[in-house]
Amino acid sequence: MSPKQPLREQLGKIVLERVLKGDFPAGTRIVESALAAELGVSRTPLREALLDLTKEGLLRSDLSRGFTVRPLTAREVKEMYPILWTLECLALRMAADPPALSELDDCNAQLLQAKGKPASALEIDFHWHELLIAGCLNQRLHEMIADVKKMIRRYEYSFMWDAELIHRSYMQHQEIITALKQKDIELASQLLETHWRTGMSSLLEQITV
């Protein structure tokens, strides 16, 4: 465990990774007492982490069964991704200041180096998108985007297991950066939407529910 990160967040990442590795398949009941003992933590921070993951859509909670793992569903992908690309494209078009291109380049290079490390790749990718729309001054819009990203995090995490898909994301990021270097915000926005659309299509190929 890292002393720099709140325990509930660390525990949330552990549970998320186990779910996406298949250690906790869809429908599995998570027994808090047993998992807390296995991880060497008290039940309070673990329960907080499980509640966070419930809000993000990874788990389901009810009084009779406690926490159970929700399946990845095509319906959720089809509903959430169009919302995300619409909001991000809007934020990019509304930006008062252009993105810091050198930072986008550096961050994208880090993404390419994170192949085989899905948790790291996910954080780097999310940070790249944050840098992309950092110039938007609409705080409510940023909050809405952050809320949607919490709900799709488990889908994006599964995406990051595939090195080929990470490389494709890297190339699409580069196309967006090139458009921004040419000061063509409209093209960059179109490429951003295409980027999310292709990611959605890749996920739908993997999901059977």
Side-chain angles (χ1 to χ4, degrees):
M1 301 289 181
S2 169
K4 296 181 180 180
Q5 187 178 40
L7 182 57
R8 65 189 292 174
E9 292 183 14
Q10 296 180 61
L11 293 173
K13 287 184 176 181
I14 291 171
V15 175
L16 174 64
E17 185 169 345
R18 289 194 178 187
V19 168
L20 293 170
K21 279 183 175 179
D23 295 342
F24 297 146
T28 299
R29 178 172 173 249
I30 296 179
V31 181
E32 293 176 59
S33 56
L35 185 57
E38 177 188 342
L39 297 175
V41 298
S42 68
R43 290 181 62 176
T44 298
L46 177 60
R47 184 170 182 80
E48 291 174 347
L50 296 177
L51 287 170
D52 287 342
L53 293 173
T54 300
K55 293 175 184 176
E56 294 175 19
L58 181 74
L59 306 177
R60 180 183 291 113
S61 176
D62 61 62
L63 293 176
S64 60
R65 297 197 65 200
F67 295 97
T68 54
V69 178
R70 291 183 58 201
L72 299 175
T73 68
R75 176 177 177 177
E76 193 166 35
V77 171
K78 291 176 182 177
E79 289 180 347
M80 299 305 301
Y81 275 73
I83 296 173
L84 181 54
W85 75 57
T86 299
L87 294 177
E88 268 207 356
C89 289
L90 177 60
L92 182 58
R93 291 187 176 103
M94 289 178 62
D97 299 307
L101 298 177
S102 61
E103 292 184 35
L104 286 173
D105 273 324
D106 291 343
C107 187
N108 205 32
Q110 293 173 30
L111 177 63
L112 200 59
Q113 296 168 4
K115 292 180 181 180
K117 303 174 183 177
S120 296
L122 178 61
E123 296 305 320
I124 293 167
D125 184 69
F126 274 19
H127 183 54
W128 188 89
H129 284 266
E130 288 172 353
L131 291 171
L132 181 68
I133 61 172
C136 176
L137 301 181
N138 189 321
Q139 189 58 40
R140 182 60 61 88
L141 182 54
H142 281 287
E143 291 171 359
M144 293 171 67
I145 291 170
D147 286 342
V148 175
K149 286 192 171 179
K150 286 180 182 178
M151 289 183 278
I152 68 158
R153 188 165 65 123
R154 61 190 182 131
Y155 292 94
E156 288 294 296
Y157 190 93
S158 65
F159 182 97
M160 293 300 172
W161 282 98
D162 191 324
E164 184 177 336
L165 295 180
I166 288 179
H167 187 265
R168 189 183 68 190
S169 288
Y170 165 83
M171 295 301 296
Q172 290 179 331
H173 287 177
Q174 286 301 123
E175 291 176 352
I176 294 169
I177 292 171
T178 298
L180 292 170
K181 288 178 179 178
Q182 297 169 350
K183 303 186 185 304
D184 194 337
I185 295 295
E186 187 56 36
L187 176 58
S189 298
Q190 292 172 10
L191 291 169
L192 178 59
E193 178 176 334
T194 298
H195 173 55
W196 284 117
R197 282 183 178 273
T198 54
M200 181 180 74
S201 297
S202 295
L203 286 168
L204 291 174
E205 290 175 2
Q206 302 174 23
I207 297 170
T208 58
V209 181

